[in-house]
Amino acid sequence: MRYHKTPDESVRRLPTYLRALRFLSQQGQERISSRKLAEHLSANPWQIRKDFSYFGGFGTPGVGYDIKKLIKQINKILKLNAVHKVALVGVGNLGSAVLAYPDFKAYGFDIIAAFDIDPKKIGRKVKNIKIEDISKLRALKKRDIDIAIIAVPRGAAQKTAGALVKAGVSGILNFSPCHIVVPRKVKVITIDIAMDLARLPYYMPASSIAKSEKPKAIA
Amino acid sequence: MRYHKTPDESVRRLPTYLRALRFLSQQGQERISSRKLAEHLSANPWQIRKDFSYFGGFGTPGVGYDIKKLIKQINKILKLNAVHKVALVGVGNLGSAVLAYPDFKAYGFDIIAAFDIDPKKIGRKVKNIKIEDISKLRALKKRDIDIAIIAVPRGAAQKTAGALVKAGVSGILNFSPCHIVVPRKVKVITIDIAMDLARLPYYMPASSIAKSEKPKAIA
DNA sequence: CTATGTGAATTTATTCACAGCA
DNA sequence: TGCTGTGAATAAATTCACATAG
């Protein structure tokens, strides 16, 4: 393996490989070829092999990949082989759904703290986690929390992000529908459901779009 | 403007431009330069200009872009200038959060139907929408619904997708944590929260990762 | 004979640099 | 002068093709 800057796109694909491999492993499968894995994901075999090769090649020529071993390797690459303690900020509709999301544990994420600004919510327990006052947000680092999930209204998102950075997190998953600015050392991934929905119609055939148009024609 | 195949990446960025422009417009701003817009988004001016140029260039040299006009243009490109009627399938934690998500209306999406398999939920009203039996899912087309949101458990996702395709939708936003297969003419965008969270640690400095590791060292 | 791993070729996307308009 | 729009240059990602290992 020569020197390669790993494409960001490869990193983006690794979790989906992981998801598929975990599924196959649970089905009792022990080995898989890049071709079979590609079929399973609607992807191409050479893409998968290339992606793995950036990190060193984990397969056996003529045989394929050992699923369990591959899972371990990907976990290691993605730094998922240590448990990550996570704080949730904002226990509204979306925040509550996040708390109930079943898959986090499987990938090594443990939500151990939740914060809200609403006095009616503070002190209540959701999914065995006591909701704390958002003003108690400092010193997450002392509690070993390095990742936070922001699920507060748009107007509070940037302030929350600032507080989280001060509190020492180095990764943020942002569900608030806005761009947030943080120091370079902190990684933010924003999920804005409306943004994803908004690019769906572009790919849909025009004929399929229901004709209930607003009268907003462009000259 | 010559012939260009528009990069998919440009299409992915358009909704975020739209989000920023809507915000600026609400603040009462009427014009903006690519430089200022870029600052607002932590992006580069030339990227923004290039993105717009794929669709024809909407600005005035020496002046900048008329925000309202630009919003209309982007809406048109993304086919958001007609209302899209949307069905939600699966009214669990995440589905309920989606129903309550405030921004859909602003982008022209109207969730007018919700389906679930749980008899206890069927018939109940959530956010003014009566939950229907999932078996009633056929003929969404007749109700002018061209987009569906899947928020059912993993095991039911592929079956649901198949039913939706049969029912005539041509766009699917999939929240179930799995890859789903549909005919080429149907566009699927999958949001798997765990997948996004799973690539966060990769970008975090190793020193920041709490050392509560599982004893799963690789040889 | 099968399936990986990887340089090289190709395609796609980003960045630059500047011509031309207001 | 200030800012857009866009060819050309550069960089990044994907795909190919095949040498190599089991």
Side-chain angles (χ1 to χ4, degrees):
Chain A
M1 186 183 58
R2 291 273 192 84
Y3 170 79
H4 284 292
K5 198 200 166 296
T6 307
D8 248 7
E9 293 303 311
S10 292
V11 178
R12 164 172 273 122
R13 282 186 294 263
L14 287 183
T16 66
Y17 297 156
L18 192 54
R19 188 176 64 187
L21 291 164
R22 291 174 58 91
F23 173 80
L24 292 165
S25 185
Q26 275 174 345
Q27 303 286 304
Q29 207 168 318
E30 298 192 343
R31 269 205 304 268
I32 196 163
S33 66
S34 57
R35 188 170 53 80
K36 284 286 180 193
L37 182 56
E39 273 171 30
H40 204 264
L41 290 161
S42 313
N44 350 46
W46 48 85
Q47 174 95 86
I48 290 173
R49 292 204 301 275
K50 190 62 145 183
D51 283 343
F52 292 158
S53 87
Y54 289 122
F55 302 99
F58 311 124
T60 312
V63 177
Y65 299 90
D66 178 292
I67 292 178
K68 281 221 174 83
K69 194 176 136 199
L70 191 48
I71 289 172
K72 277 183 189 163
Q73 296 282 12
I74 299 176
N75 274 330
K76 195 180 168 191
I77 295 164
L78 294 174
K79 299 184 197 162
L80 300 177
N81 50 350
V83 171
H84 291 274
K85 295 185 182 168
V86 179
L88 170 71
V89 188
V91 193
N93 280 296
L94 199 52
S96 303
V98 166
L99 274 179
Y101 198 77
D103 279 18
F104 290 149
K105 274 254 169 64
Y107 292 95
F109 298 100
D110 199 3
I111 304 181
I112 62 159
F115 299 87
D116 206 291
I117 201 169
D118 182 352
K120 286 198 288 284
K121 286 178 188 163
I122 294 162
R124 283 212 334 233
K125 268 198 169 183
V126 181
K127 287 269 163 185
N128 229 25
I129 296 162
K130 202 196 221 168
I131 302 176
E132 302 170 56
D133 189 319
I134 201 165
S135 67
K136 305 269 166 59
L137 205 144
R138 336 167 219 287
L140 294 179
K141 205 70 184 177
K142 270 180 209 146
R143 293 162 75 177
D144 256 8
I145 292 169
D146 55 355
I147 292 175
I149 300 176
I150 297 183
V152 303
R154 193 197 328 266
Q158 181 60 59
K159 219 183 78 185
T160 302
L164 286 168
V165 170
K166 256 195 197 159
V169 307
S170 44
I172 293 176
L173 189 65
N174 172 39
F175 281 101
S176 299
C178 58
H179 174 67
I180 60 179
V181 179
V182 295
R184 195 115 40 98
K185 62 181 176 177
V186 177
K187 173 74 175 176
V188 177
I189 292 177
T190 295
I191 301 179
D192 182 343
I193 304 174
M195 297 295 94
D196 286 308
L197 194 54
R199 67 197 167 86
L200 206 39
Y202 178 87
Y203 296 98
M204 291 162 41
S207 62
S208 82
I209 294 173
K211 292 304 179 295
S212 38
E213 55 220 287
K214 308 180 231 175
K216 266 194 182 177
I218 311 304
Chain B
M1 189 183 57
R2 292 272 191 86
Y3 170 79
H4 285 293
K5 198 200 165 296
T6 307
D8 247 8
E9 293 303 310
S10 292
V11 177
R12 166 171 272 122
R13 283 186 292 264
L14 286 183
T16 65
Y17 297 157
L18 192 54
R19 187 177 63 186
L21 291 164
R22 292 174 57 92
F23 172 81
L24 292 164
S25 185
Q26 275 175 345
Q27 303 287 303
Q29 207 168 317
E30 297 190 344
R31 270 206 302 269
I32 196 163
S33 67
S34 58
R35 188 170 52 80
K36 284 284 180 193
L37 182 56
E39 273 170 31
H40 203 263
L41 290 161
S42 313
N44 351 45
W46 48 85
Q47 175 94 85
I48 291 173
R49 292 204 300 276
K50 190 63 149 182
D51 283 343
F52 292 158
S53 87
Y54 289 122
F55 302 99
F58 312 124
T60 312
V63 178
Y65 298 90
D66 179 292
I67 291 177
K68 282 220 174 83
K69 195 176 135 198
L70 190 47
I71 290 172
K72 278 183 188 165
Q73 298 281 12
I74 298 176
N75 274 328
K76 196 180 166 190
I77 295 164
L78 294 174
K79 301 186 196 161
L80 300 177
N81 51 350
V83 171
H84 291 274
K85 295 184 182 168
V86 179
L88 170 71
V89 187
V91 193
N93 281 297
L94 199 53
S96 303
V98 166
L99 274 179
Y101 199 77
D103 280 19
F104 290 148
K105 274 256 168 63
Y107 292 96
F109 297 100
D110 200 3
I111 303 180
I112 62 160
F115 298 88
D116 205 290
I117 202 169
D118 181 353
K120 287 196 287 284
K121 286 178 188 163
I122 295 163
R124 286 215 327 239
K125 269 197 169 185
V126 181
K127 287 269 163 182
N128 229 24
I129 297 162
K130 204 198 221 166
I131 301 176
E132 301 170 58
D133 189 318
I134 201 164
S135 67
K136 305 270 165 57
L137 204 145
R138 337 167 217 286
L140 294 179
K141 205 70 184 177
K142 271 179 207 145
R143 294 161 76 178
D144 257 9
I145 292 169
D146 55 356
I147 292 175
I149 300 176
I150 296 182
V152 302
R154 194 199 324 267
Q158 181 59 58
K159 221 183 78 183
T160 302
L164 286 168
V165 171
K166 256 195 196 160
V169 306
S170 43
I172 293 175
L173 189 65
N174 172 41
F175 281 100
S176 298
C178 58
H179 173 68
I180 59 179
V181 179
V182 295
R184 195 116 39 99
K185 62 180 176 176
V186 177
K187 174 75 176 175
V188 177
I189 292 176
T190 294
I191 301 179
D192 182 342
I193 304 174
M195 296 295 95
D196 285 308
L197 194 53
R199 66 196 167 86
L200 205 40
Y202 178 87
Y203 295 99
M204 290 162 42
S207 62
S208 83
I209 294 173
K211 292 303 178 293
S212 39
E213 54 219 287
K214 306 180 233 176
K216 264 192 183 176
I218 310 305

